[in-house]
Amino acid sequence: MIDQEFPKPRGLTWRHAWLPCAMAVSLALLAGCGRKAPEADAAFPVIASPVQVADGVTADRFPGEVHARYEMPLSFRVGGQLTARYVNPGDAVKKGQPLAQLDPTDASNQLAAAKAVLEAAEHRLVFATQQRDRDEAQARQNLISQLQLEQTQDSYASALAARDQARQQFALAQNQSRYTTLVADHDGAITSRQAEVGQVLAAGQQVFGFAWTGEREVYLDIPESRIDRVVNGQPAKITLPALPGQVFSAHVREIAPAADPQSRTYLVKLTIDQPSGALQLGMTADAALQGTKSSHATIRIPSTALFHQGEHPAVWVVRPDDSTLELRPVTVARYGESDVLIADGLEPGEKVVMHGVHTVSTGEKVQPIAPPHPEDAPQ
């Protein structure tokens, strides 16, 4: 067989042969443009769920410390040298029990002097009384002048006043002598010691710290941002790490009118309604103030739903009208191990993004999806 070369059509080039192919591709593209394009604003699926009021959690929690209702310094009413100390810190004492003793020498001398002055004044009063009685009898018989009678009555009045003054001085000296012994005026416990034997003390200088038995209180330091939620009489629940399983009812008794100049917190005192002997002074306590004055209910959300806008906590809220996202600042009441209590910024029923908070943006249209696990939903 003889190979023959077929001649190319006259007047045609390879460029002319490419033109029909290009026209076919263009027609195909034009046909494709006529079809419906996919939506550019398709909703982004996110795990979101409505938030609800936290079950059983309507309280602000604060750390505290157990104190006695009445705590005071004990001191002598008079000055002198401390010669004996009968108790030490931690000792329980009874009312009337001697605690310490001052040198009684000076007080004994003053008492003896006051007693001698009183006896002299009583003798002068006896003489003045007898002289008055005699002169009054003679005056009735006109045996003495009226002037002499008045002088006798004046001497009697002066002797009576001197006797009364000496009696008061003697009573004061007795008290001064008794004050050289420091005595407990109530059942309680010695909490501290500030004076040593041999030390010369001034009147009123602290010797012991003293706490009464009976009523117990818990002291809280409330920050100024939350003090407006605390009111007198507000109920509270007290738990102590040292007494697991025990819960004590209490109420707010006193709120400090001014903040501490160092810590800028307000001292709040809670009185325990039924104190127990197991409550020791200085124990660490956890106080849950019930029924705060917050206008918003306390809401619990998973910790994965919390986002931070700079230094401020926030959450992603799904707007109900157009299903777009809003970054809303919130106030955190307490951080838990796996959840967060929100005190302000959310309302019950609002949908919040629970996971993937760092993958969304403000104004983004989303499609809320329920959490795959029930424990992921907010309670």
Side-chain angles (χ1 to χ4, degrees), residues 170-234:
F170 179 68
L172 179 60
Q174 285 181 316
N175 289 338
Q176 297 290 322
S177 179
R178 187 171 64 251
Y179 292 156
T180 58
T181 301
L182 183 60
V183 178
D185 59 354
H186 198 277
D187 294 349
I190 303 299
T191 58
S192 62
R193 179 183 66 233
Q194 285 78 29
E196 300 294 338
V197 173
Q199 185 176 348
V200 177
L201 305 176
Q205 183 175 345
Q206 183 174 352
V207 180
F208 297 109
F210 187 63
W212 287 18
T213 58
E215 296 182 77
R216 289 289 180 263
E217 294 190 332
V218 174
Y219 288 5
L220 309 178
D221 291 322
I222 308 296
E224 57 186 11
S225 61
R226 299 165 72 180
I227 190 63
D228 61 332
R229 305 183 185 183
V230 184
V231 295
N232 283 319
Q234 184 174 343

Side-chain angles (χ1 to χ4, degrees), residues 10-293:
R10 185 174 296 182
L12 293 179
T13 64
W14 287 108
R15 179 175 298 179
H16 293 112
W18 178 82
L19 286 177
C21 296
M23 294 179 62
V25 171
S26 300
L27 292 175
L29 291 176
L30 290 175
C33 293
R35 297 177 183 175
K36 183 179 180 181
E39 295 183 1
D41 57 347
F44 181 74
V46 294
I47 297 178
S49 181
V51 296
Q52 302 296 332
V53 176
D55 294 336
V57 182
T58 59
D60 283 340
R61 308 185 73 90
F62 302 96
E65 185 178 359
V66 177
H67 288 259
R69 167 71 184 273
Y70 300 101
E71 297 180 347
M72 65 200 68
L74 293 181
S75 58
F76 290 97
R77 297 188 184 186
V78 295
Q81 185 179 29
L82 184 63
T83 58
R85 192 182 62 238
Y86 306 126
V87 294
N88 293 300
D91 290 348
V93 299
K94 298 293 183 181
K95 181 178 180 179
Q97 178 179 339
L99 306 178
Q101 179 68 52
L102 292 179
D103 184 2
T105 303
D106 293 342
S108 298
N109 292 336
Q110 292 177 358
L111 179 61
K115 183 177 180 181
V117 172
L118 176 60
E119 291 176 350
E122 289 177 341
H123 282 294
R124 285 194 296 270
L125 179 60
V126 171
F127 175 77
T129 301
Q130 293 174 351
Q131 185 66 37
R132 182 202 61 179
D133 294 341
R134 286 194 299 268
D135 288 354
E136 286 180 351
Q138 291 178 358
R140 286 192 294 268
Q141 298 177 4
N142 294 325
L143 298 178
I144 61 173
S145 65
Q146 184 65 25
L147 177 60
Q148 184 178 351
L149 175 62
E150 292 176 355
Q151 291 176 347
T152 302
Q153 292 175 339
D154 179 70
S155 298
Y156 167 77
S158 298
L160 179 62
R163 193 280 312 269
D164 293 341
Q165 182 180 8
R167 182 176 291 174
Q168 296 296 328
Q169 291 294 332
F170 179 68
L172 179 60
Q174 285 181 316
N175 289 338
Q176 297 290 322
S177 179
R178 187 171 64 251
Y179 292 156
T180 58
T181 301
L182 183 60
V183 178
D185 59 354
H186 198 277
D187 294 349
I190 303 299
T191 58
S192 62
R193 179 183 66 233
Q194 285 78 29
E196 300 294 338
V197 173
Q199 185 176 348
V200 177
L201 305 176
Q205 183 175 345
Q206 183 174 352
V207 180
F208 297 109
F210 187 63
W212 287 18
T213 58
E215 296 182 77
R216 289 289 180 263
E217 294 190 332
V218 174
Y219 288 5
L220 309 178
D221 291 322
I222 308 296
E224 57 186 11
S225 61
R226 299 165 72 180
I227 190 63
D228 61 332
R229 305 183 185 183
V230 184
V231 295
N232 283 319
Q234 184 174 343
K237 295 295 182 182
I238 306 297
T239 56
L240 299 95
L243 303 175
Q246 299 189 39
V247 180
F248 300 90
S249 298
H251 64 275
V252 177
R253 181 183 67 85
E254 180 181 314
I255 303 174
D260 182 87
Q262 301 297 328
S263 63
R264 305 308 306 168
T265 57
Y266 290 80
L267 176 62
V268 174
K269 299 180 180 181
L270 306 180
T271 297
I272 298 178
D273 298 331
Q274 296 181 346
S276 169
L279 291 172
Q280 301 297 322
L281 301 178
M283 280 185 171
T284 301
D286 182 68
L289 297 178
Q290 307 294 319
T292 60
K293 297 194 317 181

Side-chain angles (χ1 to χ4, degrees), residues 287-320:
L289 297 178
Q290 307 294 319
T292 60
K293 297 194 317 181
S294 175
S295 59
H296 296 270
T298 304
I299 292 174
R300 178 188 284 125
I301 62 174
S303 56
T304 56
L306 195 63
F307 186 82
H308 280 82
Q309 187 178 20
E311 298 181 354
H312 304 286
V315 296
W316 292 102
V317 179
V318 181
R319 296 190 182 99

